[in-house]
Amino acid sequence: MTCDAEELRLRLPHIELAAQAYGPAQGAPVIALHGWLDNAATFARLAPKLNGMRIIAVDFAGHGHSDHRPPGGGYALWDYVHDILLVAEQLGWQRFSLLGHSMGAIVALLLAATFPEKVRRLALVDGLIPPTTEADGAVATLAEALQGRLALSAKRKPVYPSVERAALVRQRGVGHVSFEAAQLLAQRGLMSVEGGFTWRTDSRLTLATPLRLTQAHVNAFVGALNCPTNLVLAEQGLLAHRDGLDQLLAATSISVERLPGGHHLHLDDEEGAQLVADCFNPFLSAP
């Protein structure tokens, strides 16, 4: 089941973000963060199943209906953390829970670890830590990123004749999704152009990350978590075979639920969304 969400515009000092709101205005405050190249519609099936929550599902900068960063800007994870801190401030929320999928889960982790006084609970879907690069790989990583940035002006976004065609392509993209899930993401993520439709997302989002965290950095952020955290891992998801993840989790108090499905199990179908909701309803509503 999906339901109509309330559309919001969040005017931050440096950028304007779009968001979708679910649930009663006086519900428990939750900010929901989507994955890379997705948008707030990733929660269209899950959010209506979370009871008693006021869920603000944000389009990250450069995604969905949110503004793009200004020329010369980038999309570092910590910039997203800054944005969400300002979103919470605008909403008047001193303490709130975070619901994150994939990249959104990573941003949620960084925020919760850095500002523990603000985050009540952390609910994560198939995401926790970013890809890492050790110091000896930093030079090559930066070179690749800057070469991509120099070549970006010569690239053009693909144009699709229909929303359905764009959804078919998205279905086969990173983090394979069902066609129905791809349609939900496409309906929010596309815009009309001459000849058809193209994605609203900022082309800079496809560039390689200039500087990645090392494993030691990741360990420090995970170790700094002190709020209750519930991680849903998809059995066919992107973290299913992540090297070192089990050892990392074993050293934490993070509660882990393993559910059938792929990386977008919360969006692919109603059954998967309900399974995730069954994990998060008691967790997010706990005192």
Side-chain angles (χ1 to χ4, degrees), residues 79-200:
D79 292 324
Y80 291 131
V81 173
H82 177 233
D83 292 343
I84 300 308
L85 289 168
L86 291 174
V87 165
E89 185 177 284
Q90 184 172 129
L91 294 170
W93 291 356
Q94 298 301 312
R95 274 177 61 79
F96 48 89
S97 294
L98 289 170
L99 166 62
H101 170 244
S102 195
M103 184 185 78
I106 297 167
V107 173
L109 164 70
L110 297 181
L111 195 159
T114 309
F115 292 88
E117 72 279 7
K118 293 183 177 295
V119 181
R120 195 177 70 85
R121 287 178 174 266
L122 202 56
L124 309 178
V125 181
D126 214 47
L128 178 67
I129 57 176
T132 58
T133 298
E134 297 309 305
D136 58 2
V139 173
T141 298
L142 180 59
E144 179 187 358
L146 293 179
Q147 287 166 356
R149 184 172 295 185
L150 291 170
L152 188 63
S153 62
K155 295 183 178 180
R156 296 292 178 268
K157 291 183 180 180
V159 175
Y160 305 98
S162 66
V163 173
E164 290 73 20
R165 178 58 185 165
L168 282 170
V169 173
R170 176 62 188 90
Q171 183 182 9
R172 299 190 295 268
V174 175
H176 178 90
V177 298
S178 69
F179 180 65
E180 292 78 9
Q183 283 183 304
L184 288 168
L185 294 171
Q187 287 163 8
R188 186 168 183 82
L190 292 172
M191 62 181 180
S192 298
V193 294
E194 184 177 354
F197 299 88
T198 195
W199 295 100
R200 297 176 182 272

